[in-house]
Coordinates of all heavy atoms in Angstrom, one line a residue:
I1 N 107.5 102.2 95.5 CA 108.2 103.2 94.7 C 108.9 104.2 95.6 O 110.0 104.6 95.5 CB 107.4 103.8 93.6 CG1 106.9 102.8 92.6 CG2 108.1 105.0 93.0 CD1 105.8 103.3 91.7
T2 N 108.1 104.6 96.7 CA 108.6 105.6 97.6 C 109.8 105.0 98.4 O 110.8 105.6 98.6 CB 107.5 106.0 98.6 OG1 106.5 106.6 97.9 CG2 108.0 107.0 99.7
L3 N 109.7 103.7 98.8 CA 110.9 103.1 99.5 C 112.1 103.0 98.5 O 113.2 103.3 99.0 CB 110.5 101.7 99.9 CG 111.5 100.9 100.7 CD1 112.1 101.7 101.9 CD2 111.0 99.6 101.2
V4 N 111.9 102.6 97.3 CA 113.0 102.6 96.4 C 113.6 104.0 96.2 O 114.9 104.1 96.3 CB 112.5 102.1 95.0 CG1 113.6 102.3 93.9 CG2 112.2 100.6 95.1
A5 N 112.8 105.0 96.1 CA 113.4 106.4 95.9 C 114.1 106.8 97.2 O 115.2 107.4 97.2 CB 112.2 107.4 95.7
A6 N 113.6 106.4 98.3 CA 114.2 106.8 99.6 C 115.5 106.1 99.8 O 116.5 106.7 100.2 CB 113.3 106.4 100.8
E7 N 115.7 104.8 99.4 CA 116.9 104.1 99.5 C 118.0 104.7 98.5 O 119.1 104.9 98.8 CB 116.7 102.6 99.1 CG 116.0 101.9 100.3 CD 116.7 101.9 101.6 OE1 117.9 102.0 101.6 OE2 116.0 101.8 102.6
L8 N 117.5 105.0 97.2 CA 118.5 105.6 96.3 C 119.0 107.0 96.8 O 120.2 107.3 96.6 CB 117.9 105.7 94.9 CG 117.5 104.3 94.2 CD1 116.9 104.6 92.9 CD2 118.7 103.4 94.2
C9 N 118.1 107.7 97.3 CA 118.5 109.1 97.9 C 119.4 109.0 99.1 O 120.4 109.6 99.2 CB 117.3 109.9 98.2 SG 116.3 110.4 96.8
A10 N 119.1 108.0 100.0 CA 120.0 107.8 101.1 C 121.3 107.3 100.7 O 122.4 107.8 101.3 CB 119.3 106.8 102.1
N11 N 121.4 106.5 99.7 CA 122.7 106.0 99.2 C 123.5 107.2 98.6 O 124.7 107.2 98.7 CB 122.5 104.9 98.2 CG 122.3 103.6 98.9 OD1 122.3 103.4 100.1 ND2 121.9 102.5 98.1
A12 N 122.8 108.0 97.9 CA 123.5 109.2 97.3 C 124.1 110.0 98.3 O 125.2 110.6 98.2 CB 122.5 110.0 96.4
V13 N 123.4 110.2 99.5 CA 124.0 111.0 100.6 C 125.1 110.3 101.3 O 126.1 110.9 101.6 CB 122.8 111.4 101.5 CG1 123.3 112.0 102.8 CG2 121.8 112.4 100.9
Q14 N 124.9 109.0 101.5 CA 125.9 108.3 102.3 C 127.1 107.9 101.5 O 128.2 108.0 102.0 CB 125.3 107.0 102.9 CG 126.2 106.3 103.8 CD 125.5 105.1 104.5 OE1 124.4 104.8 104.2 NE2 126.3 104.6 105.5
H15 N 126.9 107.5 100.2 CA 128.0 107.0 99.5 C 128.5 107.9 98.3 O 129.6 107.7 97.8 CB 127.7 105.6 98.9 CG 127.3 104.6 100.0 ND1 128.2 104.1 100.9 CD2 126.1 104.0 100.2 CE1 127.5 103.3 101.7 NE2 126.3 103.2 101.4
G16 N 127.6 108.8 97.9 CA 128.0 109.6 96.8 C 128.2 111.1 97.1 O 128.3 112.0 96.3
H17 N 128.3 111.4 98.4 CA 128.5 112.7 98.9 C 129.8 113.4 98.5 O 130.9 112.7 98.7 CB 128.3 112.8 100.4 CG 128.5 114.1 101.0 ND1 127.6 115.1 100.9 CD2 129.6 114.6 101.7 CE1 128.1 116.2 101.6 NE2 129.3 115.9 102.0
V18 N 129.8 114.5 98.0 CA 131.0 115.3 97.8 C 130.7 116.7 98.4 O 129.6 117.3 98.1 CB 131.3 115.5 96.3 CG1 132.4 116.5 96.0 CG2 131.6 114.1 95.6
A19 N 131.5 117.2 99.3 CA 131.2 118.4 100.0 C 130.9 119.5 99.0 O 131.6 119.7 98.0 CB 132.4 118.8 100.9
G20 N 129.8 120.2 99.3 CA 129.4 121.3 98.5 C 128.6 121.0 97.2 O 128.3 121.9 96.5
R21 N 128.4 119.7 97.0 CA 127.7 119.3 95.8 C 126.4 118.6 96.1 O 126.3 117.9 97.1 CB 128.5 118.3 95.0 CG 129.9 118.9 94.6 CD 130.0 119.0 93.1 NE 131.3 119.6 92.7 CZ 132.2 119.0 92.0 NH1 132.0 117.8 91.5 NH2 133.2 119.7 91.6
D22 N 125.3 118.9 95.4 CA 124.0 118.4 95.6 C 123.8 117.0 94.9 O 124.7 116.7 94.0 CB 122.9 119.4 95.1 CG 122.9 120.7 95.8 OD1 123.4 120.7 96.9 OD2 122.5 121.7 95.2
F23 N 122.7 116.3 95.2 CA 122.3 115.2 94.3 C 121.0 115.6 93.6 O 120.4 116.5 94.0 CB 122.2 113.9 95.1 CG 121.0 113.8 96.1 CD1 119.8 113.3 95.7 CD2 121.1 114.3 97.4 CE1 118.8 113.2 96.5 CE2 120.0 114.3 98.2 CZ 118.9 113.7 97.8
Q24 N 120.7 114.9 92.6 CA 119.5 115.2 91.8 C 118.6 114.0 91.7 O 119.1 112.9 91.5 CB 119.9 115.7 90.4 CG 118.7 116.0 89.5 CD 119.2 116.5 88.1 OE1 119.7 117.6 88.0 NE2 118.9 115.7 87.1
V25 N 117.3 114.3 91.7 CA 116.3 113.3 91.5 C 115.5 113.6 90.3 O 115.1 114.7 90.1 CB 115.3 113.2 92.7 CG1 114.2 112.2 92.5 CG2 116.1 112.8 94.0
H26 N 115.3 112.6 89.4 CA 114.5 112.7 88.2 C 113.5 111.6 88.3 O 113.9 110.4 88.3 CB 115.4 112.7 87.0 CG 114.5 112.8 85.8 ND1 114.0 114.0 85.3 CD2 114.1 111.9 84.8 CE1 113.3 113.9 84.2 NE2 113.4 112.6 83.9
L27 N 112.3 111.9 88.4 CA 111.2 110.9 88.5 C 110.3 111.1 87.2 O 109.9 112.2 86.8 CB 110.3 111.3 89.7 CG 109.3 110.3 90.2 CD1 109.9 109.0 90.6 CD2 108.5 110.9 91.4
T28 N 110.1 109.9 86.6 CA 109.2 109.9 85.4 C 108.2 108.8 85.5 O 108.5 107.7 85.9 CB 110.1 109.5 84.2 OG1 111.2 110.4 84.0 CG2 109.3 109.6 82.9
A29 N 106.9 109.2 85.3 CA 105.8 108.2 85.4 C 105.1 108.2 84.0 O 104.8 109.2 83.4 CB 104.8 108.6 86.5
S30 N 105.0 107.0 83.5 CA 104.3 106.8 82.2 C 103.2 105.9 82.4 O 103.3 104.6 82.3 CB 105.3 106.2 81.2 OG 104.7 105.9 80.0
P31 N 101.9 106.4 82.5 CA 100.8 105.5 82.7 C 100.6 104.6 81.5 O 100.2 103.3 81.7 CB 99.6 106.5 82.8 CG 100.2 107.7 83.4 CD 101.6 107.8 82.7

């Protein structure tokens, strides 16, 4: 799960970057 999150975040930075705008992470765990 950590690797999946890391890849999605890296892609947001590399391919979804817009100057001056952040990206957001929403993590939900349902046992």
Side-chain angles (χ1 to χ4, degrees):
I1 295 165
T2 298
L3 181 55
V4 168
E7 290 298 335
L8 295 182
C9 292
N11 282 351
V13 169
Q14 185 173 8
H15 304 293
H17 176 77
V18 174
R21 303 242 175 122
D22 298 335
F23 71 94
Q24 177 177 293
V25 173
H26 181 74
L27 189 65
T28 306
S30 175

